[in-house]
Amino acid sequence: MTYDLIAAIATAEGRGGVAIVRASGAGALGLARNMFSHRGEYLPNMLYAGEIDGGSFKDYGMCVYFRAPKSYTGEDTVEFHCHGGREIARGILRRALDLGARMADRGEFTKRAYLNGKLSLSAAEGVADMIDAESEAQVRAGYSLYTEKLTNEGKRLQGVLLECLAGIDADLDYPEEDLTADTRTQTREKLVCVQEALAALLKQYRAGKKLKSGVSVALCGNPNAGKSSLFNALLGSDRAIVSATAGTTRDVVEGAIELNGVLFRLFDTAGLRESGDEIEREGIRRAERAIESADLILYLKEEENLSFPAGTPVITVGAKSDLGRSDRGCDVYLSARTGEGLDRLKEMMYEKGYGRESDVCLLEERHYRSVSESYEAVGEALTAVMNAPVELYAEDVKRAWVALGTLSGETASEAVVNEIFEKFCVGK
């Protein structure tokens, strides 16, 4: 389907080597003929060099034409590649608008790609995730969405559910054939397989959340245990004040590192002890909150063991090993001063804080809700499949199918679609 002609600057504003002004929709090629000096035939996917008309000025650059449906949006699309200057790109965009294009809405190019069947809704979210990525792992996860891995897994499971529905329909349409017993058994076996696959996807959501926001790591322990020294050593810079005086850290100090492409957000916290100092007590309260919300705890152990939230992985660290303190029953011993043991600690942080990267990941809360709803519906169908009337568990199977369809966008509401594309930048 072809929509009206839209245009926008597709590159970040500001000075740079090249800027791109993109136009897509009905009349895109005519716009190129009006704004670009090339007078011959426009072959698709060919870059032509020449003058770009910016209205009150001209720029020497290039133009490329993508013929529908072999374009990003699935429509006729043209791009003007001009010199990278704010006013140059803005002037070329103004000229395109003067010639009949309208300003593109946020994410409208990608939304048209979705509406024209060029990519699924989850793949479109992958585009946004790659653009917003703060780590290599986020890029990899976004690309996994963009290449339809989650969508394809959802469609595969939908296919199994459709097989179940086909068998159920046969029972309803031909009751005289007495197919019900065999169909129920086959349906149950298929539903068990779907349920197991959905459970495996749901387990990936925790890893997906860590990819989106980073792995939260709280450094904690008694005052003067070496937390700030370790914090600085992990960052490779002096972010936290290090002092022999106990209680120097009064507030949570934040920093970030990448381990194997995954973002780890570090929180250096105040030493945990009883204190009569009001400011230090507030620092300790903030430390406790950081520990409660952490994905991983680095406990710089002295003599006693502290208790931490159930389910949160803890690495016990024996700091100051260069001083001969290697008898505290810790997971790893290290010296922030010499760097000994830091590499092993980073390996353990990745293993315990993140784990193994998966090809198929639930990155968005929307994905989690869709898979959860499908899992719940399949569970209810399994409860009813051997004894309840066919019509009852058929509704549960249909509900599971619909929930999975929201991953690709097949069954997503217009409101959900609009909400997703409103998060995009203009020009994408």
Side-chain angles (χ1 to χ4, degrees):
M1 185 180 296
T2 300
Y3 300 89
D4 61 329
L5 184 62
I6 56 173
I9 299 171
T11 46
E13 283 202 9
R15 296 178 63 188
V18 177
I20 298 174
V21 179
R22 175 183 293 155
S24 180
L29 183 55
L31 184 70
R33 295 190 185 283
N34 280 326
M35 290 184 60
F36 196 65
S37 60
H38 179 71
R39 290 292 172 258
E41 182 183 2
Y42 278 79
L43 297 176
N45 311 319
M46 294 286 290
L47 272 170
Y48 294 96
E51 287 186 334
I52 308 170
D53 179 12
S56 59
F57 68 89
K58 294 186 185 299
D59 183 32
Y60 193 84
M62 291 183 286
C63 179
V64 60
Y65 163 56
F66 302 100
R67 180 185 295 160
K70 295 182 178 181
S71 69
Y72 179 72
T73 62
E75 308 169 327
D76 277 359
T77 302
V78 295
E79 290 180 353
F80 302 105
H81 295 217
C82 60
H83 286 98
R86 181 181 287 109
E87 292 308 316
I88 297 173
R90 285 179 176 178
I92 292 170
L93 174 59
R94 281 195 299 269
R95 182 60 176 159
L97 300 179
D98 289 343
L99 291 172
R102 70 166 172 84
M103 187 69 185
D105 294 329
R106 285 181 174 272
E108 190 168 3
F109 291 99
T110 303
K111 184 176 183 179
R112 290 188 176 195
Y114 161 69
L115 294 173
N116 287 322
K118 300 294 290 185
L119 75 176
S120 71
L121 201 55
S122 292
E125 290 170 300
V127 173
D129 286 338
M130 285 191 288
I131 292 171
D132 295 336
E134 296 181 0
S135 69
E136 289 182 11
Q138 288 175 348
V139 174
R140 293 194 295 266
Y143 189 72
S144 175
L145 277 182
Y146 178 62
T147 52
E148 307 284 13
K149 290 183 179 178
L150 178 59
T151 296
N152 290 339
E153 176 64 2
K155 287 183 175 180
R156 182 185 73 82
L157 297 178
Q158 278 188 294
V160 178
L161 293 173
L162 280 178
E163 291 174 7
C164 294
L165 290 171
I168 292 169
D169 286 343
D171 274 350
L172 293 173
D173 292 341
Y174 305 102
E176 69 280 0
E177 299 292 336
D178 196 23
L179 302 172
T180 302
D182 288 342
T183 301
R184 286 178 188 266
T185 301
Q186 293 169 8
T187 298
R188 185 183 184 283
E189 291 172 353
K190 291 175 180 177
L191 289 176
V192 167
C193 291
V194 172
Q195 187 182 52
E196 291 173 350
L198 292 172
L201 281 176
L202 289 173
K203 286 181 180 178
Q204 292 299 324
Y205 183 56
R206 185 176 178 86
K209 285 184 69 177
K210 291 175 183 177
L211 275 179
K212 289 284 287 184
S213 58
V215 181
S216 172
V217 183
L219 283 71
C220 63
N222 292 335
N224 218 15
K227 299 182 296 299
S228 296
S229 294
L230 176 57
F231 178 80
N232 289 339
L234 288 169
L235 290 180
S237 64
D238 293 335
R239 285 286 305 280
I241 298 173
V242 177
S243 170
T245 303
T248 300
T249 301
R250 297 297 185 94
D251 202 351
V252 176
V253 183
E254 301 181 22
I257 59 172
E258 275 194 34
L259 301 178
N260 298 330
V262 178
L263 188 67
F264 281 71
R265 300 189 185 277
L266 310 180
F267 298 88
D268 179 24
T269 66
L272 301 175
R273 67 174 178 180
E274 295 294 330
S275 175
D277 184 286
E278 184 178 348
I279 297 176
E280 187 177 359
R281 283 203 308 271
E282 177 59 27
I284 293 169
R285 282 193 290 270
R286 295 185 183 191
E288 290 170 345
R289 288 198 295 268
I291 292 168
E292 285 289 335
S293 61
D295 298 311
L296 174 66
I297 295 169
L298 301 187
Y299 170 39
L300 281 76
K301 184 178 177 181
E302 295 286 81
E303 274 72 32
E304 75 285 356
N305 285 310
L306 299 181
S307 59
F308 298 107
T312 304
V314 179
I315 300 175
T316 55
V317 179
K320 306 177 184 179
S321 63
D322 55 306
L323 301 179
R325 303 177 64 186
S326 301
D327 57 351
R328 287 163 280 173
C330 297
D331 297 319
V332 60
Y333 292 92
L334 57 82
S335 167
R337 186 177 64 83
T338 67
E340 180 185 0
L342 271 180
D343 288 341
R344 177 55 188 149
L345 174 62
K346 290 176 181 179
E347 290 173 5
M348 295 181 71
M349 288 170 62
Y350 184 84
E351 292 166 4
K352 287 198 170 189
Y354 180 68
R356 188 174 64 86
E357 197 163 305
S358 173
D359 283 341
V360 182
C361 223
L362 304 183
L363 292 180
E364 311 291 340
E365 185 180 346
R366 183 183 79 83
H367 303 159
Y368 182 78
R369 288 199 306 268
S370 298
V371 176
S372 293
E373 288 171 13
S374 184
Y375 181 84
E376 179 185 343
V378 168
E380 292 178 5
L382 278 169
T383 300
V385 68
M386 299 309 295
N387 302 304
V390 174
E391 294 89 341
L392 291 183
Y393 68 82
E395 286 303 313
D396 294 324
V397 176
K398 288 177 184 175
R399 210 157 42 85
W401 182 89
V402 169
L404 282 177
T406 62
L407 293 176
S408 65
E410 183 179 2
T411 60
S413 68
E414 184 178 353
V416 168
V417 172
N418 290 336
E419 180 183 353
I420 288 171
F421 289 106
E422 284 171 1
K423 297 176 183 177
F424 278 65
C425 57
V426 174
K428 191 55 182 172

